[in-house]
Amino acid sequence: QQQVKQSPQSLIVQKGGISIINCAYENTAFDYFPWYQQFPGKGPALLIAIRPDVSEKKEGRFTISFNKSAKQFSLHIMDSQPGDSATYFCAASESGGYNKLIFGAGTRLAVHP
Amino acid sequence: GAGVSQSPSNKVTEKGKDVELRCDPISGHTALYWYRQRLGQGLEFLIYFQGNSAPDKSGLPSDRFSAERTGESVSTLTIQRTQQEDSAVYLCASSLGRGIGTQYFGPGTRLLVL
């Protein structure tokens, strides 16, 4: 019940295309859903986060779509760039983030020029 | 400092030795978290501090693992009698303790147990 399932494991997208990564959860007590971006040799960096009271949040080229009834959320990267090539992790937490983050297994994104 | 810092950045040790990993959170952040990331995998929660107390230690994998935090600042994760399966990147994160609970991560300590 604590798991967050993430797919796909890896993704190859052409420059300018849309990258889509999906996550699903079971624990209905989760109320904070961040996405982290990690480059090799670095710690994860927060990209964008959403609370379950909204169905979509957009920041620049990055959009989170949230479906509370299906217990699913996804990250869309519009106009993908080679610099977006990284590993992306979805996560979920109770208590608005003041609790442990439960991470998905990660998606390795490669954007080809 | 500007961000979460961790030391050492890399640590190679022999099986059976003890290691100490250090985390300096962002100044003023009262919440501190330790995670472990095995090669090619997601992050696993280890322990959470609020101030100097640890309300959630549920992720510590065995009694060989312990952590403490002093002065609502620096935290140390200690692994006793290291095993090869302890090899991983150990990541520390901190958050403000009020408002949105965004966790900011350090660069991690890469531990290799030979």
Side-chain angles (χ1 to χ4, degrees):
Chain A
Q1 189 168 6
Q2 284 283 59
Q3 282 187 323
V4 176
K5 295 183 180 180
Q6 183 172 347
S7 63
Q9 270 190 319
S10 62
L11 183 60
I12 298 174
V13 172
Q14 294 298 314
K15 179 182 175 182
I18 302 173
S19 304
I20 302 174
I21 304 170
N22 300 298
C23 286
Y25 64 97
E26 289 295 324
N27 185 354
T28 54
F30 287 151
D31 62 2
Y32 174 71
F33 302 89
W35 284 88
Y36 280 84
Q37 179 189 56
Q38 185 177 33
F39 292 103
K42 305 291 185 183
L46 180 69
L47 198 58
I48 186 172
I50 198 167
R51 302 293 294 267
D53 51 344
V54 297
S55 60
E56 186 175 282
K57 183 175 181 180
K58 183 175 180 179
E59 289 184 3
R61 296 184 294 110
F62 301 93
T63 300
I64 299 179
S65 297
F66 186 81
N67 185 331
K68 188 173 181 179
S69 61
K71 290 184 284 186
Q72 295 176 347
F73 57 112
S74 61
L75 175 70
H76 295 231
I77 305 174
M78 311 300 287
D79 186 27
S80 299
Q81 299 297 312
D84 296 331
S85 298
T87 300
Y88 292 81
F89 294 95
C90 63
S93 173
E94 300 179 30
S95 306
Y98 287 107
N99 206 327
K100 59 191 173 190
L101 287 170
I102 307 300
F103 282 85
T107 296
R108 184 171 292 184
L109 171 65
V111 181
H112 290 179
Chain B
V4 178
S5 60
Q6 293 185 245
S7 60
S9 54
N10 293 280
K11 176 73 177 177
V12 181
T13 191
E14 293 179 349
K15 177 181 172 181
K17 301 283 190 183
D18 298 352
V19 295
E20 282 191 355
L21 313 179
R22 177 187 168 109
C23 172
D24 284 88
I26 294 172
S27 178
H29 280 196
T30 61
L32 186 148
Y33 308 79
W34 284 96
Y35 295 86
R36 178 170 70 177
Q37 185 174 29
R38 291 199 165 109
L39 187 64
Q41 297 186 23
L43 284 73
E44 306 169 73
F45 167 78
L46 296 177
I47 187 169
Y48 158 50
F49 286 93
Q50 180 58 50
N52 292 335
S53 58
D56 190 348
K57 306 179 183 179
S58 63
L60 295 177
S62 74
D63 58 8
R64 297 187 295 104
F65 288 72
S66 63
E68 65 174 15
R69 187 178 186 197
T70 56
E72 295 197 354
S73 180
V74 171
S75 177
T76 303
L77 177 69
T78 302
I79 309 173
Q80 295 179 310
R81 305 181 302 282
T82 51
Q83 303 295 312
Q84 289 182 332
E85 62 262 29
D86 299 334
S87 297
V89 177
Y90 290 83
L91 290 153
C92 174
S94 70
S95 66
L96 193 55
R98 62 179 186 274
I100 303 296
T102 301
Q103 295 184 27
Y104 298 90
F105 282 83
T109 293
R110 284 150 192 79
L111 174 65
L112 178 62
V113 182
L114 299 176

